[in-house]
Amino acid sequence: MKGFETHLLRLQPSSPLSPELSNGYLPQRQGLNNLKFGNFHLPRSSSPSSHSMLKLFSSTAASRAHHHLTPAIRPGASSVDSPFFKALSHLTGLNRRSNSLGGGRRVFFCSDNASDAAAAAAAEAEAKAAESDSDGSESKSSSAIVATNPRPEDCLTVLALPVAHRPLFPGFYMPIYVKDPKVLAALQESRRRQAPYAGAFLLKDDPSSTDSSSSSTDVEKNINELKGKDLLNRLHEVGTLAQISSIQGDQVILVGHRRLRITEMVSEEPLTVKVDHLKDKPFDMDDDVIKATSFEVISTLRDVLKTSSLWRDHVQTYTQHIGEFTYPRLADFGAAICGANRHQAQEVLEELDVHKRLRLTLELMKKEREISKIQETIAKAIEEKISGEQRRYLLNEQLKAIKKELGVETDDKSALSEKFKERIDPNKEKIPAHVLQVIEEELTKLQLLEASSSEFNVTRNYLDWLTILPWGNYSDENFDVVRAQQILDEDHYGLSDVKERILEFIAVGRLRGTSQGKIICLSGPPGVGKTSIGRSIARALNRKFFRFSVGGLADVAEIKGHRRTYVGAMPGKMVQCLKSVGTANPLVLIDEIDKLGRGHAGDPASALLELLDPEQNANFLDHYLDVTIDLSKVLFVCTANVIDMIPNPLLDRMEVISIAGYITDEKVHIARDYLEKTARGDCGIKPEQVEVSDAALLSLIENYCREAGVRNLQKQIEKIYRKIALKLVREGVVPEEPAAAVDAEEAEIVTKLDVESTENPVSTAKEPKEEAKNEKTAIEKVMIDESNLADYVGKPVFHAEKIYEPTPVGVVMGLAWTSMGGSTLYIETTVVEEGEGKGCLNVTGQLGDVMKESAQIAHTVARKIMLEKEPENQFFANSKLHLHVPAGATPKDGPSAGCTMITSLLSLAMKKPVQKDLAMTGEVTLTGRILPIGGVKEKTIAARRSQVKTIIFPEANRRDFDELAENVKEGLDVHFVDDYKKIFDLAFVSDNKQQD
């Protein structure tokens, strides 16, 4: 075959081919025409197709038998020392390799289906020579091939051995494991009888199993369970006649010979079958298509062999034992060593058409080559990445070493140590001794640790926190009381209690020459300025400001820090605060302290005890730093809505300042001086463009923003100014970009021309435009009054709390406190049914337990007073009464409605209304004593909002009322009582006297 030998010789890239053979093979072909291999002579022919296939034999090194199969090299046109002969000897092992295979005789076993009589005679002669040569040749031979007496084609009945994963191809080894003792015994018996042959058949897929990814252990287990006909039905019909090379325990080594087809079953245990020996279909050796296909297979094999060392090992092993490298053998070789699945390999095994078999093998080889290319690409990319990283690492290390030698740069540990020392050197005298000792110890420890260890990072972070803190650094405080007063007044209106306390703090600091930290708690409803006043206080004191909220905080570590042993450990909020502000005397605002949580990670309220205790925070210990910190200079300002939610031990450490809220006058001032200016600036509106009347502002406060704070008032004012801005833009007050301008420059030019024409009218044609401009200027100012307020903020949210103008019989106005401020509350009583002995009381209005008890007490006290005033009046004894507190959807509770309930019941019993514009509050005992209540300021503000003129307070609350501002108390007639009899006189007797 033309060129076929060339491709075969090039299958092994590692073969030491000379330049003459690889680059100039055609001139060397003359030497191949005169070579003889055994009994086969390759004659010279004018037609390349007349060459027979190259037949390779493996033989022993023994040369004493004149009829052995070692090829006899006869000299011809070429010398034995030619490069081609050396390469051929290296491929087939005819030269040096035969001497190293051992002293035993290696017998040719691969029979060819198309072999002629000479080949059969040679094989028979070799068998006889092997039999008469030596009795112990089998044990002495180093080869795995066992000498056999019967010819393979004589085996018509064989044991059927199932193969689980891939079929066995002729010329290849395959180890299998036989677990069945009967089958193993039959194989050993066949080997002893010099008939070591069996049939290897691929196992079909289990039709009952849907899982295609079964493990090899499960497959082996299924094979061992199959017997007899079940096993026969699971085997493919076409298999391979295999020689039993060796048996070691339950491992059997098989060597494939030729193709078989099962015809019928002979016995079930062990499974023995009759077989037919299959031969390849006749084909034309000179067919160009077959030649081209085989050459392509060889070319593909050569490409794959360049990248796969495992395949080169397959070629070396295969060429030692193959008899004749023909087209069929080439197809089997390619299909056997590629990574095709079992079904594709079985398809090649069953194909008897040589051309089709070569095509199938070629497809599998092409796939294998593509896989090899992908594998090579992946390996190359990974190698490049690894080599790049290693190169970069080596260069960096060399650079560090060079810089270190030149003194340009030190290593990482030295640089870190220098950085930490530079931080502490300027303030070394201010750092406490115990902290300085810890820093020195950690610096020494850092030098001993490897930079790659985890402990190194922990120590580095620890030193970073220790050295970054402002040990002994304090900001210069402002001790000027006048300047502090100006700053506080600039930011907030009212809040005289808070401002007075801050000025006291500054005055004490000025007299002492230094200031100490304090813990102040600002309590009040939302929106009264508790949080914003903290920033103003810090500005007035010239201190750094830091705020953090503890609302919902449930982890103690947020306050005290984590232990350094934890991964990702960090210090607590106070250490972070000191690092952030850079001074040791900041103002720290702890927001929402009444909303602390509590979870599995501890109780943060208890952790705050050490932080907010003036006697303890001078030595505050953070779990992360593990050294004490002086927080005695820190001014703590806490905020809370309801101080009742703060734990008593924590509340005891704070100085509470209550911010009750703002009355209407204060809200008007705040709106004018602060909120309006801010809203105008945010919306880009000039003061001369908008005017909000006092009536509109008062209506906005009374009907839309009645709460104690001003947050909602700020939202409503911003809403008004946003709508005004939209209105101004729509009316064209702000020049819009001309539609004719195609870009920004043209628009700017047109705008400038309009301005110039407005300022300097040149022609009379522009006068109409000027007049229109003046008309627009005339309507630019937007007026907001009470009549059009609803157009900007919608319909009123609140209506007048004063439901009754003169209060009817059985109705009395009370005063209540809520978290949003104070409010008025009506107590209504009516008669349901009258009759002998039907006296009782029903209450409604979503009243709490305390308020229900107050109603019962009020009913008892009212009956007692009625007996004293009108003994003959049996109203309470014979009347079923119903007491209601509107609104019913609002939950209500508290003891301060007792006197109001009594007055309502007495008014109904005597059929007399109470004095006009009267409101009262106070808790009543069974003996008629009036106890003090809370929220005096809020209730007073609520009474003023409802236009109440007369208020009745308990005598114990006189001090609270006297502390109120004069503008709050102005116009009110306030009475302080300690017994209900005085309330009775004020509510009823005084009214009768006025009527008389």
Side-chain angles (χ1 to χ4, degrees):
M1 292 186 307
K2 185 178 180 179
F4 185 69
E5 298 89 341
T6 306
H7 288 282
L8 289 178
L9 291 174
R10 292 183 181 179
L11 282 177
Q12 301 187 59
S14 59
S15 300
L17 299 179
S18 65
E20 296 180 4
L21 180 63
S22 59
N23 296 327
Y25 177 70
L26 290 178
Q28 300 292 335
R29 283 181 58 91
Q30 296 177 354
L32 181 63
N33 295 332
N34 295 327
L35 291 179
K36 288 187 177 180
F37 292 85
N39 296 326
F40 301 94
H41 177 66
L42 299 179
R44 183 187 302 270
S45 176
S46 60
S47 174
S49 62
S50 62
H51 290 297
S52 62
M53 301 299 293
L54 178 64
K55 190 166 186 179
L56 307 177
F57 288 90
S58 299
S59 64
T60 65
S63 60
R64 56 189 177 82
H66 67 278
H67 55 277
H68 60 74
L69 293 181
T70 303
I73 307 301
R74 298 176 183 179
S78 63
S79 173
V80 176
D81 295 329
S82 66
F84 173 75
F85 178 77
K86 292 180 180 179
L88 184 64
S89 301
H90 179 77
L91 175 65
T92 59
L94 300 181
N95 194 5
R96 299 184 304 273
R97 188 180 297 161
S98 62
N99 297 328
S100 62
L101 294 177
R105 182 181 301 278
R106 177 165 298 170
V107 182
F108 165 66
F109 68 90
C110 294
S111 61
D112 188 6
N113 296 332
S115 61
D116 53 6
E124 186 175 358
E126 178 65 18
K128 290 180 180 180
E131 183 178 3
S132 61
D133 187 25
S134 174
D135 295 336
S137 61
E138 178 180 333
S139 60
K140 295 178 181 179
S141 177
S142 63
S143 174
I145 307 303
V146 182
T148 58
N149 283 328
R151 295 182 301 174
E153 55 267 22
D154 296 335
C155 298
L156 302 178
T157 303
V158 294
L159 287 171
L161 300 178
V163 179
H165 304 293
R166 285 177 63 88
L168 174 63
F169 280 89
F172 281 84
Y173 288 85
M174 177 178 285
I176 65 172
Y177 291 90
V178 180
K179 302 296 183 180
D180 192 343
K182 294 182 180 180
V183 177
L184 195 61
L187 293 175
Q188 292 173 346
E189 181 64 25
S190 299
R191 203 158 178 270
R192 282 195 296 269
R193 287 190 291 177
Q194 302 298 319
Y197 290 101
F201 300 93
L202 182 66
L203 198 67
K204 297 178 182 178
D205 292 335
D206 188 0
S208 62
S209 175
T210 58
D211 186 9
S212 60
S213 60
S214 301
S215 63
S216 58
T217 307
D218 297 336
V219 174
E220 296 290 346
K221 184 178 180 181
N222 294 335
I223 292 176
N224 297 330
E225 293 176 354
L226 295 174
K227 305 291 182 183
K229 291 183 178 181
D230 294 337
L231 179 58
L232 181 64
N233 294 333
R234 288 286 304 280
L235 297 178
H236 284 276
E237 290 185 358
V238 177
T240 308
L241 179 68
Q243 178 183 349
I244 305 170
S245 177
S246 66
I247 301 176
Q248 296 179 359
D250 59 353
Q251 185 186 52
V252 180
I253 305 297
L254 302 179
V255 184
H257 275 256
R258 57 175 61 195
R259 287 169 170 78
L260 300 175
R261 175 178 277 116
I262 298 175
T263 57
E264 60 178 315
M265 183 176 66
V266 177
S267 62
E268 293 190 3
E269 290 193 9
L271 179 62
T272 308
V273 295
K274 286 186 178 182
V275 295
D276 285 342
H277 293 257
L278 301 180
K279 295 183 179 181
D280 297 330
K281 294 180 181 180
F283 63 95
D284 186 4
M285 305 221 8
D286 297 331
D287 188 358
D288 293 339
V289 177
I290 295 179
K291 288 180 182 180
T293 306
S294 63
F295 290 159
E296 184 63 25
V297 171
I298 294 173
S299 176
T300 309
L301 278 171
R302 184 173 65 248
D303 292 341
V304 178
L305 285 172
K306 292 178 182 179
T307 59
S308 176
S309 60
L310 181 61
W311 281 42
R312 289 197 291 269
D313 296 340
H314 278 301
V315 174
Q316 293 174 2
T317 305
Y318 189 76
T319 54
Q320 293 176 12
H321 304 293
I322 190 169
E324 182 178 353
F325 216 130
T326 60
Y327 292 129
R329 292 290 185 185
L330 180 63
D332 290 345
F333 175 77
I337 65 175
C338 71
N341 60 42
R342 50 190 296 193
H343 303 292
Q344 293 173 335
Q346 180 66 25
E347 185 179 359
V348 175
L349 183 67
E350 294 177 357
E351 185 58 59
L352 300 181
D353 190 308
V354 176
H355 178 240
K356 292 183 179 179
R357 191 189 304 170
L358 284 170
R359 289 291 299 271
L360 293 173
T361 301
L362 182 59
E363 292 179 5
L364 300 180
M365 297 302 301
K366 292 290 185 182
K367 292 180 181 177
E368 194 70 24
R369 186 174 65 178
E370 294 300 322
I371 294 174
S372 299
K373 289 181 179 179
I374 296 173
Q375 177 184 357
E376 184 178 1
T377 303
I378 295 173
K380 185 177 180 181
I382 294 175
E383 287 177 1
E384 289 179 355
K385 181 179 179 182
I386 294 175
S387 62
E389 291 178 354
Q390 290 177 344
R391 182 172 177 271
R392 190 179 300 108
Y393 174 77
L394 291 175
L395 291 175
N396 285 331
E397 291 298 321
Q398 292 175 0
L399 182 62
K400 290 179 182 178
I402 293 171
K403 288 184 176 181
K404 189 175 181 180
E405 289 294 330
L406 295 175
V408 178
E409 184 179 308
T410 57
D411 57 0
D412 292 342
K413 291 190 289 186
S414 300
L416 283 172
S417 298
E418 289 298 326
K419 183 181 74 171
F420 295 144
K421 289 179 180 178
E422 288 176 1
R423 287 181 181 177
I424 63 175
D425 284 344
N427 300 322
K428 201 166 187 179
E429 297 178 356
K430 300 179 182 179
I431 300 177
H434 66 282
V435 177
L436 199 59
Q437 180 181 357
V438 172
I439 292 175
E440 295 294 340
E441 292 175 356
E442 293 296 322
L443 285 172
T444 305
K445 178 182 177 183
L446 186 71
Q447 294 296 326
L448 300 176
L449 292 173
E450 290 292 333
S452 59
S453 66
S454 59
E455 185 68 19
F456 180 84
N457 292 327
V458 174
T459 306
R460 181 187 62 188
N461 292 336
Y462 182 47
L463 280 170
D464 191 21
W465 280 101
L466 277 177
T467 56
I468 201 68
L469 292 181
W471 302 102
N473 290 334
Y474 301 102
S475 60
D476 296 331
E477 292 193 65
N478 173 36
F479 293 121
D480 189 350
V481 177
V482 177
R483 180 174 176 272
Q485 179 77 47
Q486 291 176 352
I487 293 174
L488 294 174
D489 290 339
E490 285 176 4
D491 296 339
H492 291 82
Y493 180 84
L495 302 178
S496 58
D497 295 343
V498 182
K499 294 178 181 178
E500 191 71 19
R501 181 65 187 88
I502 299 304
L503 295 177
E504 292 171 2
F505 177 81
I506 295 175
V508 172
R510 182 171 183 176
L511 294 177
R512 291 187 56 192
T514 181
S515 62
Q516 291 292 325
K518 289 293 180 182
I519 297 93
I520 300 172
C521 180
L522 306 178
S523 68
V528 296
K530 299 184 299 296
T531 303
S532 59
I533 193 65
R535 192 178 301 273
S536 296
I537 295 172
R539 194 161 70 93
L541 296 175
N542 196 27
R543 290 195 179 200
K544 298 290 186 179
F545 178 76
F546 185 84
R547 172 191 171 273
F548 70 94
S549 176
V550 295
L553 187 69
D555 191 358
V556 174
E558 292 290 333
I559 307 295
K560 299 278 289 182
H562 301 84
R563 301 287 180 184
R564 290 200 306 276
T565 54
Y566 298 149
V567 177
M570 289 186 66
K573 282 292 184 183
M574 278 312 304
V575 178
Q576 297 178 35
C577 161
L578 296 179
K579 176 186 176 182
S580 176
V581 299
T583 60
N585 62 336
L587 187 146
V588 179
L589 180 70
I590 304 177
D591 220 351
E592 309 292 350
I593 198 170
D594 59 330
K595 299 176 181 62
L596 279 169
R598 185 171 185 175
H600 66 281
D603 184 11
S606 301
L608 284 174
L609 294 176
E610 180 185 0
L611 180 65
L612 300 180
D613 191 343
E615 301 297 328
Q616 299 183 42
N617 59 13
N619 296 302
F620 177 75
L621 182 65
D622 185 88
H623 289 162
Y624 182 86
L625 295 184
D626 208 23
V627 293
T628 57
I629 307 172
D630 184 10
L631 300 178
S632 61
K633 304 291 186 181
V634 179
L635 175 60
F636 292 97
V637 178
C638 307
T639 67
N641 294 127
V642 184
I643 60 174
D644 297 338
M645 304 295 294
I646 304 174
N648 288 331
L650 185 59
L651 185 63
D652 183 62
R653 287 164 168 77
M654 297 187 292
E655 180 181 349
V656 180
I657 300 176
S658 298
I659 304 177
Y662 301 106
I663 60 176
T664 303
D665 296 340
E666 292 175 334
K667 286 186 178 181
V668 171
H669 282 287
I670 293 172
R672 288 293 188 195
D673 299 338
Y674 303 96
L675 303 183
E676 270 196 288
K677 291 180 181 179
T678 305
R680 258 199 318 265
D682 293 342
C683 295
I685 299 175
K686 298 178 181 179
E688 59 271 13
Q689 291 178 316
V690 180
E691 181 179 349
V692 181
S693 64
D694 293 338
L697 201 56
L698 188 61
S699 176
L700 183 67
I701 295 171
E702 292 290 341
N703 299 328
Y704 296 87
C705 310
R706 197 176 285 181
E707 65 279 346
V710 293
R711 185 173 291 132
N712 191 35
L713 179 60
Q714 180 183 5
K715 295 177 182 177
Q716 296 295 338
I717 292 175
E718 290 175 353
K719 184 177 181 181
I720 291 174
Y721 276 91
R722 285 197 306 268
K723 290 186 178 294
I724 293 173
L726 179 60
K727 183 178 180 180
L728 293 176
V729 172
R730 285 178 175 174
E731 291 179 355
V733 175
V734 180
E736 296 183 358
E737 188 176 14
V742 293
D743 55 13
E745 294 180 358
E746 293 181 6
E748 186 177 357
I749 292 171
V750 173
T751 305
K752 289 181 179 179
L753 290 175
D754 291 342
V755 174
E756 291 175 359
S757 63
T758 302
E759 294 177 352
N760 302 312
V762 179
S763 62
T764 57
K766 297 181 180 179
E767 291 180 0
K769 294 183 178 180
E770 182 67 23
E771 293 175 358
K773 182 74 177 179
N774 293 333
E775 290 178 1
K776 286 186 176 181
T777 306
I779 63 170
E780 276 183 11
K781 194 164 188 177
V782 180
M783 292 294 298
I784 307 294
D785 54 16
E786 192 173 1
S787 60
N788 64 351
L789 181 63
D791 297 336
Y792 294 90
V793 293
K795 295 182 179 180
V797 178
F798 297 101
H799 298 282
E801 291 184 359
K802 197 171 184 180
I803 303 175
Y804 305 99
E805 190 53 41
T807 52
V809 174
V811 178
V812 180
M813 181 186 292
L815 299 174
W817 178 91
T818 66
S819 60
M820 300 292 291
S823 66
T824 57
L825 194 71
Y826 282 97
I827 306 295
E828 301 176 343
T829 310
T830 186
V831 179
V832 178
E833 185 180 359
E834 291 184 349
E836 186 74 24
K838 290 188 176 183
C840 66
L841 178 66
N842 293 332
V843 293
T844 57
Q846 244 191 109
L847 308 183
D849 293 338
V850 177
M851 208 163 181
K852 288 179 181 178
E853 292 178 356
S854 296
Q856 295 296 328
I857 294 172
H859 189 248
T860 302
V861 174
R863 293 184 68 171
K864 176 183 177 183
I865 294 175
M866 201 63 194
L867 288 176
E868 294 177 356
K869 300 294 182 181
E870 299 179 10
E872 66 280 355
N873 192 338
Q874 298 295 319
F875 176 79
F876 291 107
N878 300 327
S879 300
K880 183 177 181 181
L881 305 178
H882 183 181
L883 187 146
H884 176 67
V885 183
T890 305
K892 311 169 192 69
D893 202 4
S896 62
C899 62
T900 312
M901 291 180 178
I902 296 174
T903 307
S904 176
L905 291 171
L906 291 176
S907 173
L908 185 64
M910 296 186 299
K911 295 181 175 55
K912 292 180 181 179
V914 297
Q915 182 182 346
K916 185 180 178 182
D917 297 333
L918 172 69
M920 62 185 70
T921 180
E923 181 180 359
V924 181
T925 65
L926 278 175
T927 59
R929 301 292 297 174
I930 307 299
L931 301 182
I933 46 87
V936 173
K937 183 177 181 180
E938 290 87 348
K939 292 179 180 180
T940 305
I941 294 172
R944 286 180 58 88
R945 188 168 55 238
S946 297
Q947 299 176 357
V948 173
K949 304 298 182 183
T950 305
I951 303 177
I952 299 176
F953 280 130
E955 180 66 33
N957 293 111
R958 183 186 294 272
R959 178 180 58 85
D960 300 326
F961 184 81
D962 292 340
E963 293 177 356
L964 298 179
E966 291 298 328
N967 60 346
V968 177
K969 298 185 289 184
E970 184 181 358
L972 293 177
D973 183 15
V974 182
H975 301 272
F976 299 96
V977 297
D978 55 3
D979 191 272
Y980 184 78
K981 293 179 180 180
K982 296 180 180 180
I983 297 178
F984 185 86
D985 296 337
L986 292 170
F988 299 107
V989 179
S990 299
D991 187 45
N992 292 336
K993 290 180 179 179
Q994 290 177 3
Q995 290 180 1
D996 293 340

